Amino acid sequence: MTQSTDLHDLTVAELASALRDRKVSAVETAQHFLARAQSHADLGAFLDTNSDVTLRQARTADERLAAGTAGVLEGVPMAHKDIFVTRDFATTAGSRMLDGYHSPFDATVVSRLADTGVVTLGKLNCDEFAMGSANENSAFGPVKNPWDITRTPGGSSGGSAAAVAARLAPAATGTDTGGSIRQPASFCGITGIKPTYGRASRYGMVAFASSLDQAGVLARSAQDCALVLSSMCGPDPERDSTSLDVPAEDFTRTLAEPIKGLRIGVPAEFFGEGLAPDVRAAVDAALKEYEALGARLVPISLPRTELSIPVYYIIAPAEASSNLSRFDGVKFGHRAKDFKDLNDMYEQTRAEGFGDEVKRRIMIGTYVLSHGYYDAYYLQAQKIRRMIADDFQQAFQQCDVIAGPVAPTVAWALGGHGNDPLADYLADIFTLPASLAGLPGMSLPVGFGAGNLPVGLQLIGNHLSESRLLNVAHRFQQATDWHIRRPQGI
């Protein structure tokens, strides 16, 4: 029997194996992780737990394991970013606007993982409506980085990253609109992957920017990401019009393939002014490790990298202003108590329910979509978005994957950017281009920078190349031990 005190050290793959071999029960595993979540509540990672629901799911998993009808992840506990709707747990999207809301259905990603036997531990904190780079925009308080609780875990999937890094869950779901899986994975020293846009269903994800939002996974290793992602992805055409008609794939099949001869594109624009020396040193060392593994570095150019920031912060707020118009206090969510008439109810409800960053982006989005500015801003941004995507296709004629930093710096102090939203926006410069192009991208830990804080390497692939990315990351993790380092005291 596996000692319960060691359960949080096991990876998803190891836990699944231990559960199948009946070395540990799903109930015992669930109880262990629920206790850890409670004992590390000061991190602010969880927004909602329900031990009755979790243990009921665990008992069902044990019955299936005993009967020999278990799914591939039967009994493995996970937690979901609070942007995915769930029947048994509250869904707030980190906003007062949805405080206490319970959905009548589960998001497709949640239900697909449940079908493979995943036991849900609860819902994880995030920036309000996934708008942020530091997880300080949540209406329910910030999340703290387990490596240094005075630092941000990154955003918007900061609760997911912190929970995995602190061993409160072996893996967690996240969403990535402009880097919200990759950046927190980097800041918290774990592995995270955003698949090709449309690979995972968006049904049941509270929408921020519909042409950019994509579900993904955060875990401790590429192998674990591959296991979970295989269960999450697949077509969902009846419920999600943006879902790709591409069959589900077993991303673990090619993990161990050699990478000798792999061409890794290194974009000059990712290594210029603004990249902190400590981050560059860790990324350079990782690239040298890849050379030692038989890969070849190829200089490439992504000339419109700098334009990704203004393009993203026109398109994403425009889509947000449209998506968030549904939160008006009429059918669900928060409603102001005191109002004079219908228009006043709308105004008071939205003023009370939305936080500052959400209001800021709604106003920007409404402005760029307004008459007289649509052509000058939104239409031009969409044209440049197409050019950014074309730049990637040009680059992929010279290389197989693209590598570079995830963020210009290590995690900054909580409140470090103060009231300067532009500082947060600029921190997304290396993750935004792949999101605008709809490409798969991932982050894997490759060292430490200032303050002994983690540094991540970003890998970007062409459309539908998740297997290649996971293979490239897995081979690196077989040769190094950065991904098994843990925060002190955890």
Side-chain angles (χ1 to χ4, degrees):
M1 176 70 74
T2 303
Q3 294 299 312
S4 62
T5 52
D6 299 329
L7 285 176
H8 55 272
D9 289 325
L10 299 179
T11 65
V12 170
E14 290 167 342
L15 260 178
S17 177
L19 286 158
R20 279 194 304 272
D21 294 341
R22 313 304 302 281
K23 293 179 180 178
V24 65
S25 73
V27 168
E28 179 187 2
T29 304
Q31 289 172 331
H32 178 78
F33 279 98
L34 286 171
R36 281 189 65 79
Q38 187 172 12
S39 65
H40 289 83
D42 57 316
L43 290 176
F46 277 87
L47 288 181
D48 190 31
T49 56
N50 186 326
S51 60
D52 290 340
V53 170
T54 300
L55 294 176
R56 185 180 72 234
Q57 292 179 5
R59 285 190 289 272
T60 300
D62 278 332
E63 291 169 4
R64 289 177 184 154
L65 286 160
T69 58
V72 292
L73 295 174
E74 198 70 58
V76 175
M78 279 184 59
H80 297 294
K81 182 177 179 178
D82 199 28
I83 214 79
F84 296 97
V85 301
T86 44
R87 284 179 298 180
D88 295 322
F89 299 87
T91 300
T92 69
S95 179
R96 292 287 179 202
M97 187 63 83
L98 286 172
D99 193 3
Y101 172 71
H102 277 78
S103 168
F105 64 94
D106 285 331
T108 295
V109 162
V110 172
S111 62
R112 282 186 173 161
L113 287 170
D115 289 344
T116 61
V118 164
V119 171
T120 302
L121 292 170
K123 302 296 285 295
L124 296 163
N125 205 345
C126 59
D127 281 304
E128 186 178 9
F129 290 104
M131 298 183 195
S133 302
N135 219 140
E136 294 183 276
N137 294 331
S138 171
F140 307 103
V143 179
K144 299 171 184 175
N145 191 321
W147 290 90
D148 179 347
I149 59 171
T150 69
R151 305 279 183 146
T152 172
S156 62
S157 305
S160 300
V164 173
R167 280 36 176 188
L168 309 186
T173 55
T175 60
D176 192 308
T177 306
S180 291
I181 286 174
R182 290 161 288 163
Q183 186 242 35
S186 175
F187 282 5
C188 290
I190 62 171
T191 308
I193 183 167
K194 173 197 93 75
T196 303
Y197 178 78
R199 264 285 211 184
S201 174
R202 291 177 48 252
Y203 180 75
M205 279 171 52
V206 180
F208 161 20
S210 300
S211 74
L212 293 157
D213 296 341
Q214 184 55 201
V217 59
L218 299 98
R220 301 214 304 268
S221 70
Q223 182 185 23
D224 283 355
C225 283
L227 273 169
V228 178
L229 196 66
S230 297
S231 299
M232 285 172 52
C233 292
D236 191 20
E238 293 183 4
R239 296 183 293 185
D240 176 14
S241 63
T242 64
S243 173
L244 293 176
D245 188 15
V246 177
E249 186 177 336
D250 180 3
F251 297 118
T252 65
R253 281 189 308 106
T254 56
L255 281 177
E257 288 187 355
I259 60 171
K260 186 175 181 179
L262 179 80
R263 299 172 301 165
I264 298 179
V266 182
E269 293 79 7
F270 281 26
F271 292 85
E273 187 179 351
L275 179 62
D278 56 329
V279 173
R280 173 153 195 168
V283 170
D284 284 344
L287 294 176
K288 287 181 180 176
E289 181 66 38
Y290 270 117
E291 285 187 300
L293 291 171
R296 180 164 58 91
L297 304 185
V298 180
I300 62 167
S301 178
L302 296 172
R304 295 177 178 87
T305 295
E306 285 190 4
L307 292 176
S308 64
I309 294 176
V311 167
Y312 177 86
Y313 284 101
I314 288 173
I315 294 173
E319 295 183 8
S321 74
S322 175
N323 280 325
L324 271 62
S325 64
R326 72 194 69 181
F327 300 104
D328 55 11
V330 175
K331 292 183 179 178
F332 58 89
H334 174 73
R335 177 186 289 184
K337 291 183 179 179
D338 302 315
F339 51 87
K340 300 172 186 175
D341 51 33
L342 185 62
N343 281 335
D344 191 44
M345 186 197 76
Y346 291 155
E347 292 173 7
Q348 296 298 329
T349 294
R350 290 166 72 81
E352 294 171 9
F354 290 140
D356 289 345
E357 182 60 26
V358 172
K359 291 175 185 175
R360 183 181 294 115
R361 297 198 194 192
I362 289 173
M363 291 175 71
I364 292 170
T366 304
Y367 178 82
V368 301
L369 290 176
S370 62
H371 180 70
Y373 297 102
Y374 180 90
D375 290 348
Y377 292 104
Y378 184 74
L379 198 58
Q380 291 302 315
Q382 291 287 17
K383 289 177 180 178
I384 299 172
R385 180 183 190 176
R386 178 71 264 168
M387 295 176 187
I388 290 170
D390 290 342
D391 287 343
F392 275 106
Q393 293 310 309
Q394 287 282 98
F396 283 124
Q397 292 179 17
Q398 306 169 57
C399 63
D400 303 307
V401 298
I402 294 170
V406 176
T409 66
V410 294
W412 56 85
L414 286 166
H417 287 172
N419 294 318
D420 183 10
L422 189 58
D424 279 358
Y425 299 170
L426 291 172
D428 297 334
I429 188 167
F430 301 136
T431 54
L432 292 178
S435 291
L436 289 166
L439 299 171
M442 67 182 298
S443 172
L444 59 152
V446 294
F448 294 89
N452 200 36
L453 292 165
V455 175
L457 175 75
Q458 180 176 204
L459 297 175
I460 301 169
N462 211 341
H463 297 107
L464 305 178
S465 65
E466 291 82 7
S467 288
R468 169 62 67 85
L469 288 182
L470 290 160
N471 160 235
V472 172
H474 180 65
R475 294 309 301 235
F476 180 88
Q477 292 180 340
Q478 285 183 311
T480 63
D481 68 350
W482 301 114
H483 64 292
I484 64 173
R485 307 287 184 95
R486 63 162 73 197
Q488 201 169 21
I490 295 298

